[in-house]
Amino acid sequence: KKNKFFIDIGTYKNFRDHLLDAGERYYFLKICEQAKGNVKDACNITGLSQSRLYFFMQKHTISLSDFKQ
């Protein structure tokens, strides 16, 4: 009998990768909100180059333009 609280999360690596992805996505969503969709501001906040910022935005299917005010 399975415990109703049991969650099949697979290997530790899969769990860690999933957790990292979720954390990254949350982080970049908050950065977009804080920067109000401004690329230069987002780069200044994160310390990332524009190309690296866009890499993460694409990875997590986030668009800065959705946050412009």
Side-chain angles (χ1 to χ4, degrees):
K1 179 179 174 183
K2 270 191 173 180
N3 183 327
K4 68 179 179 177
F5 298 108
F6 177 78
I7 301 170
D8 185 15
I9 56 175
T11 65
Y12 174 73
K13 182 185 180 325
N14 287 344
F15 170 73
R16 187 186 67 216
D17 291 347
H18 175 74
L19 195 59
L20 180 60
D21 282 347
E24 274 183 358
R25 181 169 172 69
Y26 177 81
Y27 174 77
F28 285 106
L29 286 169
K30 290 299 176 184
I31 292 300
C32 289
E33 286 177 7
Q34 190 174 349
K36 297 180 179 145
N38 184 291
V39 177
K40 287 185 182 184
D41 289 347
C43 289
N44 286 333
I45 294 166
T46 61
L48 297 173
S49 67
Q50 192 169 332
S51 62
R52 194 70 180 145
L53 178 70
Y54 279 124
F55 166 81
F56 284 110
M57 303 300 277
Q58 185 177 20
K59 175 182 176 183
H60 296 290
T61 60
I62 299 170
S63 174
L64 276 167
S65 62
D66 291 342
F67 296 87
K68 289 192 177 186
Q69 296 180 348

